[in-house]
Amino acid sequence: MSVSTLIHPTAIIDPGAEIDANVSIGPYAIIKGDVCIGSGTQIGPYTTIDQYVTIGSDCRIFQYASIGAAPQDLKYHGERTYLKVGRGTVIREFVTINRGTEFGGGVTEVGEENYLMAYTHIAHDCKTGNRVILANNSTLAGHIELGDNVTVGGLVAVHQFVRVGDFAYIGGKSAVVKDIPPYVIAAGDRATLHGLNNVGLKRHHFSKATLQELKKAYRIVFRIGLTVKQATERVKAEVEQIPEVINFMTFIQESNRGVTR
C-alpha cells in the first residue's frame, strides 16, 4: 500500500489489498482482500469492493456502489471468479457489478472509460467495450457483450447472452431480447430497429461516404425481406467492403440468439 494513498480512518481495508499511489478511499468504505486498485482512483463513502476485483487507474467510484459481489446465479457455489474494471471508468451511486461464474469463463469485464450511471446493474460474465455509457437503472443480465461506444438508455433491460455491436444506441425503457447490430438505433418493448445511429456516428466523425455505405447495407439486410444468406450475397455485390460494413455483416452472420429487426 502506497504511503501517498489517502484513506479515511473509518474505512476498512483488508491487509491483502494492493492499493497503488494516489488512491483516495472515503468514509466507511470496505475493501476486501485480493483486490488491486490502480493509481489515481477515487473510492467514495460506503462503497464495498469485494474480493478478486481489479480496478484500473483513474477510476471514480461514487458512494454506495457494490463492486465485485458474488454472482446472482444458482450455479455459483463459491468458486474463485473475477471482476476487472478498466482505466478511467466512472461508477455512480448504487451501481452493482457482480463477478463472473465458472460456467461463463470466470470473469466479468468492464472496459476503459465506461460511464455507469446510478443504479446500473452489470451481472455475472458480462463484457463491455470501451467508452460505453449505461444510463440510470439500465440492467444487463448475465453473459452479455457490449461493443465499443455503445449507449444504453435509462430503464433498459437486456436479456442474458445478448450481444450489442459497436456504436449502437438503445433507447430508454427498452426490453432487448435479441442481438443489436453495430451502428444502429434500437428501442421499444420488445426492441426493434429504427435505422442507423446517425447522430452518434456523426459525433464520432464517421464520414459521409461511410454512412452512405452503411445505409446501403442496412437497407439490404433489413428493408427488403431477404434471408441473412441472401442479404450477405447482395451486400458483397453491391456495397463497398469498407471495415465498418464488414463489421456490420460479420456481427449479423455470427449471431446465435438472432438479430433484432
Side-chain angles (χ1 to χ4, degrees):
M1 185 178 298
S2 169
V3 294
S4 60
T5 296
L6 304 174
I7 299 177
H8 193 274
T10 60
I12 301 173
I13 314 295
D14 190 286
E18 297 181 16
I19 301 174
D20 212 331
N22 304 313
V23 172
S24 64
I25 301 175
Y28 302 100
I30 298 174
I31 314 294
K32 297 188 179 181
D34 295 297
V35 167
C36 296
I37 302 176
S39 178
T41 288
Q42 302 175 49
I43 310 295
Y46 297 95
T47 292
T48 298
I49 300 179
D50 223 299
Q51 57 188 353
Y52 313 133
V53 173
T54 300
I55 298 173
S57 61
D58 300 314
C59 294
R60 188 172 182 191
I61 302 176
F62 283 69
Q63 55 267 30
Y64 296 101
S66 175
I67 311 300
Q72 300 175 99
D73 189 317
L74 296 176
K75 298 186 297 296
Y76 179 75
H77 298 294
E79 57 270 22
R80 181 167 179 157
T81 58
Y82 301 91
L83 166 65
K84 298 179 181 179
V85 177
R87 174 192 59 80
T89 288
V90 176
I91 300 174
R92 294 300 306 243
E93 300 85 348
F94 300 98
V95 168
T96 56
I97 310 175
N98 295 158
R99 300 197 308 273
T101 65
E102 189 173 42
F103 171 78
V107 182
T108 302
E109 295 186 54
V110 176
E112 296 185 352
E113 299 180 7
N114 281 207
Y115 196 100
L116 312 180
M117 297 186 192
Y119 294 95
T120 295
H121 175 66
I122 299 179
H124 58 86
D125 305 297
C126 288
K127 293 177 172 57
T128 75
N130 298 326
R131 298 172 299 280
V132 168
I133 298 173
L134 301 183
N136 301 70
N137 292 99
S138 55
T139 299
L140 304 185
H143 311 280
I144 288 167
E145 295 184 18
L146 306 184
D148 293 337
N149 299 288
V150 169
T151 299
V152 179
L155 298 167
V156 168
V158 185
H159 194 283
Q160 60 188 11
F161 293 102
V162 160
R163 297 184 306 140
V164 181
D166 301 335
F167 295 95
Y169 181 97
I170 303 174
K173 207 178 178 182
S174 296
V176 179
V177 298
K178 292 187 177 182
D179 292 349
I180 305 292
Y183 315 118
V184 303
I185 290 177
D189 181 12
R190 299 301 193 254
T192 57
L193 300 189
H194 297 267
L196 293 182
N197 180 18
N198 285 307
V199 172
L201 298 179
K202 289 175 182 178
R203 286 176 177 171
H204 285 91
H205 309 294
F206 279 60
S207 68
K208 289 183 179 180
T210 297
L211 292 176
Q212 186 175 34
E213 297 306 311
L214 284 172
K215 186 176 181 179
K216 290 179 186 177
Y218 181 93
R219 180 181 178 278
I220 291 170
V221 175
F222 295 114
R223 296 293 192 196
I224 55 179
L226 300 178
T227 66
V228 171
K229 183 178 180 181
Q230 291 169 334
T232 299
E233 293 171 353
R234 286 277 300 269
V235 169
K236 286 182 178 178
E238 300 176 20
V239 182
E240 184 178 350
Q241 297 300 291
I242 58 176
E244 292 81 5
V245 169
I246 293 171
N247 184 34
F248 180 75
M249 294 306 302
T250 299
F251 182 98
I252 292 168
Q253 293 161 10
E254 293 178 350
S255 174
N256 291 319
R257 284 193 60 80
V259 175
T260 302
R261 290 182 171 268

